[in-house]
Amino acid sequence: MNDDKLFAQFPPVTTEEWENAIIKDLKGADYDKKLVWKTNEHINVRPYYRAEDLQSITHLNADGTFPYAKNNGSNWNVRQDFVIADDCDVKQLQRLVSLAVNNGVESVGYDFTKRTAPVGDELFLQLMKGLKPATAVNLMCNTTNVMALFDLLNAYMIDMKVKTDSANFNMEYDPFFDFVSEGGSYMDGIDTLHNLIKESAGYPNMKVGVINASYFGNCGSFLVDELSFGLAEFADVLDFLTEAGETIDKIVPKLKLQVSIGSNYFFEIAKLRTARYIWGEMVNAYSPKNSDCCGVFIHAVTSMWNKTLYDPYVNMLRTTTESMSSVIGGIDSLTVVPFNFVTVVNDEFALRIARNQQLLLKEESHFANVTDPAAGSYYIESITGQLIEKVWNQFLEIVGKGGFIQCFKSNYIQDIIAESCEKRNKAVATRRENFVGVNQYPNITETIDFDEVKKSCGCSDEETGETSCCGCEDMAPKFRTLQPYRGTEPFERLRLQTELYTKESGHRPSVFLFTYGNLAMRIARAGFASNFFGCAGYKIINNNGFQTIEAGVEAAKQSKAEIVVICSSDEEYGNIAPEIYNGLKDNAIVVVAGNPVDCMDKLAAAGLQHFIHVKTNLLESLSNFQKLIIKQ
């Protein structure tokens, strides 16, 4: 019997041979344009990777010990967060929490960050009822209520005789939140964190502070920026607290890192490995007595930036890949944001789906049983190495300019995020970044009650007309603050404006597809136009095709549609479009589906102004049509 391994029978293939074969198959096409993906992180992703790509990567030396690019295990806490609003129904909330912990949730987050009413003993005790002893509890707080919540928690643990070395309770206080979101005092935040660290010294396993890098991700920053800004915050915290007399061994175990996880599957895995590596290097620079301090507790939250109001069930697909990235990247706990969080708070069905997404990965796919499944991947290890370099370099640049606080006060951080927002907004507007159900393949039968959206989101009638957004808000003459937003908000505002107009006028704007001529082209362009105008929530009137222009013009008039889109071939537009336009110009806005460059001058001379095609800025075009329709 031949015991030789299968691949030993084949001669090795060099990189040069691979490259020659690729160039031959390209038949003269540009290699970089066809096969190299240029990412927003300024990393050029090649079409393949080999073992030789890992030879110069230093983080591969991490084998589960310092510097911790590799994680020691993939078993994470399945976490679910609940909003404790001023008007929350506590009995209903208790029921939802009980359902969660009895159906696989291992960690509960109580979000008090938007609560303005005091949290009394009675409410606090009610929230603690029904929790299992092993359930981790995380109190998400703000500067107004953090110390009151800590006092309530401390009193509760004393009353329940909780062992100090096994307490599974945590505070989640972001010392920079008021500073970056409202222009508040950063020193108040750092002093409060310092207070929490001292007050919780008797509970060695209790974490009290969070370095919230996810805030930058949800404001629109790219992942290199998200990490470098979060780590720069961490550096400022370490500097301030060590200068105040605290040791690194006391500070770091009290902190966790929170990151947002988007849909860039492999890059998010690499981002988590990068965060673990650089955090360890930063702590090691302070020479801790206990090397375990160099490890980091990472809590991941699925991104809010890429979630949509319309077609919300697609959000489930997004959070599924984000959950997988989180787990493979090696997080310690994960919150899957419910798919309909934009309009509904603490929804039972959405919470069930969110926790089951994690449970499927853990219990059925056995992701918790594999240690660092990404380790050794030529692709992932390569981009991890590049991300480490880019995040570290940007971190050093921030430090060189005085640190996070000084860079924020000078608007350096905000300018970087604003540039990212502009780039991302443009990508969404032009459909280079697609969101199914919003800027691509909309469900044109879906309607949303404007009053319900206004009630849950807090938007006004005027706001629905806005078609641009940015994470930065002006606070002249001080520095600008940052506000999270979702990338699809401009499209959603546009469509909500259609809903409002329909509600007030009793008539939904409609688009008549004037299909004529070449069968294949008219069908293709009718589909394109239907998708295009469906993104604004317009009614689409499709047709099988007209035998004569006269019949099409008459049918278009009968439809009383505000917009008529001519759907045919470029070769036919020069002859048919002017005639159709003359027949309908007094009745509707006439649009040509396509970019017929050969006869564009002729069409323009005939009076045609509106053309839609794949290079059209969808958001800008729809906004202009919206103004014309509402004006009518």
Side-chain angles (χ1 to χ4, degrees), residues 77-82 97 101 105-112 124 127-140 149 153 156-157 166-172 205-208 256 297:
N77 278 341
V78 176
R79 175 168 158 177
Q80 194 133 62
D81 295 342
F82 301 87
V97 174
V101 298
V105 166
E106 301 155 318
S107 180
V108 170
Y110 287 131
D111 185 356
F112 295 94
F124 190 84
L127 294 175
M128 294 297 152
K129 286 181 181 177
L131 296 176
K132 294 182 178 181
T135 304
V137 178
N138 307 277
L139 306 182
M140 305 155 70
L149 281 168
L153 178 60
Y156 173 80
M157 289 190 290
S166 60
N168 207 5
F169 298 91
N170 303 287
M171 304 295 294
E172 284 193 357
N205 296 322
M206 177 187 286
K207 298 191 181 300
V208 295
K256 67 175 68 171
F297 185 104

Side-chain angles (χ1 to χ4, degrees), residues 444 494-495 498 508-511 533-540 563 622 625-627 629:
I444 59 177
L494 190 67
R495 192 159 173 181
T498 301
R508 182 172 295 277
S510 57
V511 177
F533 286 103
C535 293
Y538 297 163
K539 177 183 176 182
I540 308 299
I563 297 174
L622 289 179
F625 284 120
Q626 190 85 310
K627 292 173 184 176
I629 289 173

Side-chain angles (χ1 to χ4, degrees), residues 327-339:
V327 172
I328 294 172
I331 42 83
D332 296 281
S333 62
L334 171 63
T335 293
V336 175
V337 176
F339 71 90

